[in-house]
Amino acid sequence: MICLSDNTIQSIFCCCCCCSVQKREERTQVCMSRNEELSEKYPQHRRQWFYELQKNKKSNRGCAQPSKRKPLPPLPPSEIIEEKIQVKALFDFVPREPCDLALKRAEEYLIVEKYNPHWWKARDQLGNEGLIPSNYVTENKITNLEIYEWYHRNITRNQTERLLKHESKEGAFIVRDSRHLGSYTISVFISARRNEEASIKHYQIKKNDTGQWYVAEKHFFHSIPELIWYHQHNAAGLLTRLRYPVGLMGSCMPATAGFSYEKWEINPNELSFVREIGSGQFGIVHLGQWRARVHVAIKAINEGFMSEEDFIEEAKVMMKLSHSRLVQLYGVCIQQKPLYIVTEYMENGCLLNYLRERKGKLRKEVLLSMCQDVCEGMEYLERNCFIHRDLAARNCLVSSSSIVKISDFGMTRYVLDDEYISSSGAKFPIKWSPPEVFHFNKYSSKSDVWSFGVLMWEVFTEGKMPFENKSNLQVVEAISNGFRLYRPRLAPLCVYEVMYSCWHEKPRSRPTFAELLQVLTEIAETR
Ligand code: ADP
C-alpha cells in the first residue's frame, strides 16, 4: 500500500520512541508496503524488526492518554537478535567514533543488534563490541555466495568484461548473477589462441530437473561453490579451467550511510577544502576531505536558493537511502552560512560532461552499461517510493571505475527559485518532463521513468541536448501532439524501443524501473 503521509520518513525510521512527528507542508510519499525499508539488500526476515517497531510506536501513542491498562514495557532501542548472526567482513573498516568497531577484511564477527538497516552492533573475536556499517559484512554461511572471492553481485556484463580484460590472465574468472532470476553466469578470460584474439566467455550455470547445478553436461553439483571448485581444477568442457578468481574484496570501499549511526550533522572543522570542482544551480562544489581521511564533495548552498529547514529534515531521511548506484549523502553542516551538503566524491565528474568529452570513444556496450547503472539506482528509489523529480545526465556522476551513480535525488523540492520550479520558468527541465508534470505538476516514479528514457537518449547521443533547436514551449506542443525524440545513431532498435516505451503518454502504460532493469539486462546479455 502506498499512502501519502504528513510524517517525514525520518519519524518512521527513528528507532527511539521519543521522536516527535514532524509536519511539513510538502507531503512525502511513503511506502507502507511489506517491502518498506531503505536498504539495498535486506532480507524479509530482518524486516520484522521494522514492523514490530511500527506496531509498538502506534501503541505507544495510545499510552499518552490516561489508561487503566498495564503500561507497555519500554521499547527496545533497536532490533535485538535472538540468534546471533555470524558475518564475515568484506572490507576493512576504520572506526570513526568511539562507539564504532574496527573490521578487518575476511575476519569473522557476530552481529549482536541491528540499530537500523545500515548500522549494526557487532562483536569481534576478542569480545570487543561496536557499530559497523552493514554493507561491509556478509552472512558467513556456505550457501551465501558473497563470502567467496569470485562472486560479484552487482556487475553488468560490460563491467565484467572490463574487469577481466584488465586482469588479462588465462582463466581469470568471476561468477555473477544471471539475467534469469536465481541463476548465475561464469565469465572467464581466454587468452589469444593461434588464430583468435583474447576473449571473454560467459557460461550460464544451469539447473537440471533434480535441482543440481551444471555448466558442462555430465558434471552435476549440489551447490555453486562445489561446481566452481570442480571447474577450478578441471576444465571439463570449458575452454580453460577457472584459474584465478578475480575479487572486488577490499578494492573499493563502498560509501557508508552517513559517517556513523544517526550522525547527519557534520562538524565543519573536520572538513578541509582541496579544490573547486564545479558549480551548479545550488552553488559551488569543492573536493574536500573529512577528517583528512575520506574524500568528499562539499556543496556550498547559495543563500536564499533553498528552503534550508525543510531540506535539513529531509537530509536525515536521504542519508538512509544507501545503494551502490546512488551518490551517498554523508551529512550536512548547518552551523554556518552557506550551508554545506557533504556527499560521496565521484572522480569522473558529471555524466553529461563525461559523455561529451569521450565522444566517439565509448562503445555501445559501455553506453548500455551506464543506462543499466542508472536503472538499478532508480529501481532502488522506486522500491522505496522515493521520487527523483530531476533525473537527467547532468544529475548523474561517474566514479573512478566508470560506474554511474544518481545524484541530487529529491532536491528540487527545496529549491525556492521560481525559474527552476515553475513549469513556465526558464530553468524548468521541460525536455525531461512528461505531460502530467508540465501540465499538472504531477510527479511519480512513472514521471521519473519518462526522464530515464530521455537520459538513455542523452547517453546514446553521447551527450546531445534533447530537442536541440526547440524552445520549451515548442517541446510542450510537440510532445502533446505525440512527437517523440528520434532514434540516436548509436542506439540499436531494441534499445530505442526501451527508451520509447518510457515516453508513453499515460504514466500507467510506461514500464516500471524493475521491468526496465530486466529488459536492459536481457539486451546486454544477448548481444
Ligand atoms: P547543482 O546541483 O547545484 O546544479 P551539481 O550537483 O550539478 O550542481 O554540481 C556541479 C558540478 O560539480 C557537477 O557538474 C560536477 O562536475 C561537480 N560535482 C558535483 N557533485 C560532485 C561529486 N559528488 N563528485 C564529483 N564532482 C561533483
Side-chain angles (χ1 to χ4, degrees), residues 475-495:
V475 172
V476 170
E477 210 175 272
I479 292 292
S480 307
N481 289 331
F483 181 88
R484 297 293 183 266
L485 286 163
Y486 62 86
R487 172 177 160 191
R489 190 177 49 82
L490 293 174
L493 187 60
C494 55
V495 170

Side-chain angles (χ1 to χ4, degrees), residues 103-169:
L103 292 178
K104 194 117 196 69
R105 184 165 76 86
E107 284 193 2
E108 290 172 16
Y109 300 83
L110 216 57
I111 301 302
V112 192
E113 221 169 308
K114 290 177 178 172
Y115 279 40
N116 69 19
H118 309 295
W119 290 95
W120 295 348
K121 188 174 180 183
R123 184 182 302 151
D124 68 15
Q125 302 195 6
L126 299 171
N128 302 310
E129 287 189 356
L131 290 179
I132 57 158
S134 62
N135 55 339
Y136 276 49
V137 295
T138 192
E139 197 164 351
N140 192 17
K141 53 179 188 185
I142 19 176
T143 50
N144 176 12
L145 295 188
E146 274 191 308
I147 64 170
Y148 299 96
E149 196 183 359
W150 35 256
Y151 177 66
H152 294 238
R153 192 162 53 93
N154 282 337
I155 191 164
T156 65
R157 180 175 169 128
N158 182 261
Q159 286 156 356
T160 302
E161 295 189 348
R162 219 173 329 150
L163 184 71
L164 294 178
K165 273 186 193 144
H166 179 74
E167 208 65 28
S168 226
K169 278 192 207 151

Side-chain angles (χ1 to χ4, degrees), residues 241-261:
R241 72 180 170 86
L242 307 175
R243 290 163 193 261
Y244 306 100
V246 179
L248 259 189
M249 269 192 166
S251 58
C252 56
M253 310 281 221
T256 55
F259 286 130
S260 54
Y261 174 64

